[in-house]
Amino acid sequence: MFMPAVKLMERFRYRSKFALIFILLILPLVILGGFLVAGLNERIDSIAQKQRGIEYIVQLRDLIESIPEHRGMTNGYLGGNSGFREKMLEKRSEIDVHFAALELLDLKLGRYLRTGDEVEQLKRRWLNLKARAFNLSAAEAFEQHTDLVSAVLALVRQVFNASGLMLDSNLDSYYLMEAVVKRFPVLVEAMGQARGIASGAVAAGKVSSKDNVSLNIMLVRIKVNHEALTDGLEQAFEFNTETRKILSEKAKLLDGAIQRFANILDKDLLDTDKITAKTEKVFKAGTEAITTVFSFIDATTPVLSNLLEKRINQNTAEKYFTLSVLGVVVVTLLYLFAGFYCSVLSTTEGLSSVIRRLTQGDLSARADLTAQDEMSEIAAGFNTMAETLEGNQQREREQIEQLRKAADIRDRVDLLLAHVKQVEEGDLSHAIELQGEDDLGQLSIHLNSMTQSLSGISVGIREVVESLNTTLAEVSSVTSNQVAAASQQASAVNEITATLAEIRQTSEQTLNKAKALGGLAQRTRDESNMGRQAVQDATESMEAIRSRVDGIAQTILTLSEKTQQIGEITAVVNEIAQQSKMLALNASLEAAKAGDAGKGFSVVAEEVKALAEQSQQSTAQVQKILHDIRQATDRAVMATEEGTKGVDIGVQKVQRTGELMQTLDGVVNETAIASKQIVEAAHQETVGIEQVNRAMGEINDAVMRFVTSTKQTEEANSHIVELADKLRNSVEVYKVR
């Protein structure tokens, strides 16, 4: 698996190898560090983009506050209160300043947030509205102001999306951003519109149907956004306790102001027949709620900025820490590689010097290395090799000296070898003649003694072999007779065993059939008991079904009576609707006669007429549905009566089946008792046969063991005879004196 890498490395010198490994190791680290730093820079840029979005939206917050206030003042002025004129002019100057500040900020941040010419369009719409405001009706002025506020909110949403505020992964800043950017503008606009509509209604002394619908819509919008805002702030506070400490009191004030304004709208305007609230009270409550919202925005914005600034600082610190660690790692690796390279180079030069001295014949050369790595093991191997070569050289010298001494005793060894060869050929009649007190002299004495001993042993073996052959012949005759008798006895035992096996097989078949009959009888008995129980359960179930069917029939009859009552009620409702329609028609005629004074009454008459027509259509649909229900209940009553009859018939059949199952149970019990008696008798017979068969098996085993032992004895005798013949032939080779 590593051969390609090995082949590649074998083509380079150490300098090239280390350079290649260093590059391959450092390059991934540099690339990884680059990716980490790029990711951190991207996160920093993303947070900075969020900061730009917050800064831009904070500037738009002034317009979101000022334009609705101008709308309320304009409505008051156009409604006849000339005191609002000076306030309108002051508010216009304030809005112009806000637009000027927004234009400057757009020049700075617009390219990042992709706002385009949205600010310029907003300013043109504001200038157009400012120029025409005194010439518009109250409704037109309110509508154009509302459209302008909607355009500002659209720009807020655009900046919100372009700055990535919605994609924040931290819950505290996410929910605070959602509150400032998403919930607060919608909440402020809803409360601003509700304040304007409610103030006009209170001034007029009544709430028109259109204002009623608008106020209900605004109230629902206020409550929904207020609830979402409260939940989001609670999530942010749970995630960041420091945020709770800073904003919790402001949140309580905000919640109270919104609740008070919503209660005034709900109780003093929508849920009352007569308006008793004062215009100042309604306007003040709405203004207080809106002001509290903007106060909370002002308190929340620095908190958001601090959170984002902290994250930028954290990511910047992380980036510099990553670069520092990467630099330290690269420098450390470079330093270690340089040290490693110098160490290897020094070791290889030392080994090269030792090898040159060894090749020149200087076996005393040794490698002296202080390193503890693999190269030191190689050096130790070279030292061991040099020591081995030096030791071998010394041993060769000693061996040469020993060979000189060995040449003197070669002739005496030849004499000994000649005697050994004679003994090997079987000639034990000669003795070796060799004088001397050294090891070879002692060896010649021992060889002569050995030759004499071998001669005596050969004579004794010959005599023993002759006697052994005679004895083995007699034993072989006796064992042959024993084998024949034992074989006849084994055949007789085998015949008896086969007969007993047939008897046992027949008995086992009888026992198995008896057991099967007993099991079948027991299962039949169990099934009979289960069948009797099932019949009893079925009878009870049929009775329960008959009771339930009766209850269903009674319920259906009650349902039929109720549908009849509903039909009568819908008929009355239909008559009322027809009368309401006629009244609406008469009211429309009277309104037409009254001219302009009766226009409002005409609208009410039209609505009453429409409601009457809807009531007629609904009652017609209800009557059709009731007709279908009555038909279905009639069919259900007939079906339940037929079901009751069927249940009665089923109960009778089930009871008849129970009687038959009782009779069957008695017959099955008698069969089971008889089958048990048969099984016990067959089992006793099988046990007796098994005992006899086991005894015959033991006899047969004993006979077979005797036959086997006898045959083994006969085979052993034959083998001993063969060995005796071989021993005799071997001894006859030797010549004795």
Side-chain angles (χ1 to χ4, degrees):
M1 180 175 64
F2 296 103
M3 284 306 297
V6 173
K7 294 295 183 183
L8 177 63
M9 287 298 176
E10 288 176 350
R11 300 179 61 182
F12 300 110
R13 297 180 65 83
Y14 272 110
R15 185 178 288 104
S16 301
K17 292 177 182 178
F18 279 108
L20 178 61
I21 294 173
F22 181 75
I23 291 172
L24 293 177
L25 183 62
I26 292 299
L27 187 61
L29 288 177
V30 174
I31 293 174
L32 178 60
F35 278 122
L36 290 175
V37 172
L40 291 171
N41 286 333
E42 184 177 353
R43 284 158 59 183
I44 292 171
D45 292 340
S46 175
I47 297 172
Q49 182 73 347
K50 291 182 175 67
Q51 285 184 320
R52 297 187 192 102
I54 292 174
E55 184 179 358
Y56 203 100
I57 291 170
V58 167
Q59 186 61 50
L60 290 173
R61 163 246 188 258
D62 296 331
L63 292 176
I64 296 173
E65 181 180 11
S66 300
I67 294 174
E69 290 178 353
H70 185 269
R71 176 179 59 192
M73 296 174 184
T74 303
N75 282 353
Y77 176 77
L78 295 176
N81 191 344
S82 59
F84 279 110
R85 182 179 179 85
E86 292 300 326
K87 295 180 180 179
M88 286 175 59
L89 296 176
E90 292 176 2
K91 186 58 66 177
R92 287 183 177 187
S93 299
E94 184 180 331
I95 294 174
D96 290 337
V97 172
H98 294 330
F99 266 110
L102 180 61
E103 286 178 325
L104 291 176
L105 185 63
D106 188 66
L107 290 175
K108 175 184 174 183
L109 304 179
R111 59 192 179 91
Y112 296 106
L113 302 174
R114 302 188 295 276
T115 57
D117 61 345
E118 293 293 330
V119 176
E120 187 64 28
Q121 292 180 11
L122 284 176
K123 186 174 181 181
R124 284 199 298 268
R125 293 179 65 175
W126 160 245
L127 293 176
N128 182 49
L129 175 60
K130 183 171 67 171
R132 301 174 58 244
F134 291 114
N135 300 322
L136 298 174
S137 65
E140 291 174 341
F142 186 88
E143 182 178 357
Q144 292 190 19
H145 278 86
T146 302
D147 292 341
L148 182 58
V149 173
S150 298
V152 175
L153 294 178
L155 181 57
V156 170
R157 289 191 294 271
Q158 178 180 340
V159 173
F160 181 73
N161 294 327
S163 59
L165 291 171
M166 197 65 184
L167 302 177
D168 194 69
S169 58
N170 297 89
L171 292 180
D172 51 357
S173 56
Y174 169 79
Y175 283 112
L176 290 178
M177 290 175 187
E178 183 190 40
V180 172
V181 178
K182 186 176 179 181
R183 300 297 176 189
F184 283 148
V186 176
L187 191 59
V188 167
E189 175 59 12
M191 289 192 296
Q193 292 188 30
R195 179 183 61 181
I197 296 171
S199 298
V202 172
K206 63 177 180 178
V207 181
S208 65
S209 59
K210 181 179 179 181
D211 290 343
N212 187 287
V213 172
S214 299
L215 284 175
N216 274 298
I217 293 173
M218 292 301 110
L219 184 60
V220 170
R221 190 175 297 173
I222 290 169
K223 290 182 178 179
V224 170
N225 283 277
H226 179 217
E227 182 178 355
L229 174 64
T230 303
D231 292 340
L233 291 176
E234 186 61 31
Q235 292 290 335
F237 294 160
E238 287 291 334
F239 189 78
N240 191 332
T241 55
E242 292 297 326
T243 305
R244 180 189 295 275
K245 294 178 181 178
I246 298 171
L247 298 177
S248 60
E249 292 300 326
K250 295 281 187 182
K252 291 179 181 178
L253 294 175
L254 175 67
D255 185 67
I258 295 174
Q259 287 285 2
R260 285 192 295 274
F261 184 57
N263 290 335
I264 289 174
L265 294 178
D266 191 16
K267 296 179 180 179
D268 294 349
L269 294 176
L270 298 176
D271 192 19
T272 183
D273 296 330
K274 183 179 180 180
I275 299 176
T276 58
K278 301 295 183 180
T279 305
E280 291 79 5
K281 177 183 177 182
V282 175
F283 191 84
K284 181 179 179 182
T287 303
E288 181 184 354
I290 294 172
T291 303
T292 308
V293 170
F294 283 111
S295 176
F296 191 84
I297 293 175
D298 294 336
T300 304
T301 303
V303 175
L304 270 176
S305 299
N306 290 334
L307 288 175
L308 296 178
E309 189 65 31
K310 286 181 181 178
R311 287 175 194 157
I312 288 179
N313 294 334
Q314 289 173 357
N315 283 277
T316 303
E318 186 176 350
K319 179 179 74 172
Y320 288 124
F321 177 76
T322 302
L323 290 173
S324 301
V325 171
L326 184 62
V328 171
V329 170
V330 171
V331 172
T332 304
L333 287 176
L334 182 60
Y335 178 77
L336 292 176
F337 260 80
F340 184 36
Y341 172 72
C342 293
S343 174
V344 172
L345 186 62
S346 174
T347 303
T348 53
E349 289 177 352
L351 291 176
S352 298
S353 176
V354 171
I355 292 171
R356 282 195 300 271
R357 292 176 61 187
L358 289 175
T359 55
Q360 292 172 1
D362 184 6
L363 298 181
S364 63
R366 299 290 185 271
D368 185 14
L369 298 179
T370 59
Q372 302 295 323
D373 55 7
E374 288 80 358
M375 297 300 290
S376 65
E377 295 179 0
I378 296 174
F382 272 106
N383 292 336
T384 303
M385 180 183 69
E387 293 173 357
T388 303
L389 290 175
E390 190 175 11
N392 290 339
Q393 188 181 45
Q394 182 66 28
R395 282 193 295 273
E396 287 177 358
R397 292 172 183 171
E398 294 175 355
Q399 288 175 359
I400 291 172
E401 184 66 24
Q402 290 175 357
L403 288 174
R404 289 196 189 104
K405 294 179 181 180
D408 296 336
I409 61 175
R410 184 175 299 169
D411 295 336
R412 300 172 70 187
V413 172
D414 290 338
L415 291 176
L416 293 173
L417 291 175
H419 178 74
V420 172
K421 188 174 182 181
Q422 289 176 353
V423 174
E424 181 182 2
E425 292 175 352
D427 187 1
L428 303 177
S429 60
H430 298 86
I432 188 171
E433 296 180 358
L434 186 63
Q435 302 297 325
E437 298 296 331
D438 57 0
D439 293 337
L440 292 178
Q442 294 295 323
L443 180 61
S444 64
I445 294 172
H446 291 306
L447 285 175
N448 287 331
S449 299
M450 182 188 70
T451 303
Q452 187 176 359
S453 299
L454 288 174
S455 178
I457 291 171
S458 177
V459 173
I461 290 174
R462 289 177 182 174
E463 295 175 354
V464 172
V465 168
E466 292 297 332
S467 176
L468 183 62
N469 284 335
T470 303
T471 304
L472 289 175
E474 295 175 356
V475 172
S476 178
S477 176
V478 173
T479 54
S480 297
N481 295 331
Q482 289 177 346
V483 167
S487 299
Q488 292 177 358
Q489 186 177 7
S491 299
V493 171
N494 287 333
E495 291 178 359
I496 295 172
T497 301
T499 304
L500 287 173
E502 293 177 357
I503 296 172
R504 185 180 62 183
Q505 184 177 6
T506 303
S507 177
E508 287 178 352
Q509 291 177 356
T510 303
L511 178 61
N512 292 334
K513 291 180 180 180
K515 287 181 178 179
L517 178 61
L520 180 61
Q522 184 63 35
R523 286 195 300 273
T524 305
R525 182 180 182 183
D526 294 340
E527 294 294 336
S528 175
N529 292 333
M530 292 172 62
R532 186 172 69 254
Q533 184 63 37
V535 169
Q536 184 177 354
D537 293 342
T539 303
E540 295 175 356
S541 298
M542 294 297 287
E543 291 292 340
I545 290 170
R546 180 168 61 184
S547 176
R548 291 175 183 173
V549 168
D550 292 339
I552 291 169
Q554 185 62 37
T555 301
I556 291 171
L557 290 174
T558 303
L559 176 62
S560 178
E561 294 175 357
K562 296 296 182 181
T563 53
Q564 184 66 32
Q565 294 175 3
I566 293 171
E568 294 173 357
I569 293 170
T570 53
V572 174
V573 172
N574 191 24
E575 291 179 4
I576 293 172
Q578 289 178 354
Q579 292 176 4
S580 298
K581 188 174 180 182
M582 292 300 297
L583 290 173
L585 181 60
N586 293 331
S588 298
L589 294 175
E590 292 298 329
K593 292 178 182 179
D596 294 336
K599 286 184 178 180
F601 194 59
S602 176
V603 173
V604 176
E606 288 295 330
E607 292 180 356
V608 172
K609 181 181 178 182
L611 291 173
E613 290 177 351
Q614 292 177 1
S615 299
Q616 282 184 326
Q617 294 175 0
S618 299
T619 52
Q621 293 177 356
V622 171
Q623 287 176 351
K624 182 177 182 303
I625 294 171
L626 291 173
H627 178 70
D628 295 339
I629 292 173
R630 281 197 294 272
Q631 289 182 346
T633 52
D634 293 339
R635 291 194 296 270
V637 170
M638 295 177 63
T640 51
E641 291 178 354
E642 294 177 357
T644 303
K645 295 178 181 179
V647 168
D648 293 336
I649 295 172
V651 169
Q652 295 176 0
K653 291 183 178 180
V654 168
Q655 290 175 350
R656 177 58 181 164
T657 303
E659 295 174 356
L660 294 175
M661 291 299 294
Q662 187 68 28
T663 303
L664 177 61
D665 185 55
V667 175
V668 169
N669 285 334
E670 294 177 359
T671 304
I673 293 171
S675 63
K676 286 183 180 179
Q677 294 175 353
I678 294 172
V679 169
E680 291 176 357
H683 180 69
Q684 292 176 357
E685 180 182 357
T686 302
V687 170
I689 295 172
E690 182 65 28
Q691 292 175 352
V692 175
N693 189 30
R694 190 181 300 110
M696 292 306 299
E698 293 175 356
I699 294 172
N700 188 27
D701 292 340
V703 172
M704 293 305 295
R705 286 196 298 271
F706 176 74
V707 171
T708 301
S709 299
T710 306
K711 288 182 178 180
Q712 291 176 351
T713 302
E714 187 176 8
E715 292 175 357
N717 288 335
S718 300
H719 185 61
I720 292 172
V721 171
E722 293 177 357
L723 292 176
D725 292 338
K726 290 180 180 179
L727 181 61
R728 183 178 57 193
N729 294 332
S730 299
V731 173
E732 289 177 351
V733 174
Y734 295 101
K735 298 177 182 179
V736 298
R737 289 177 287 183

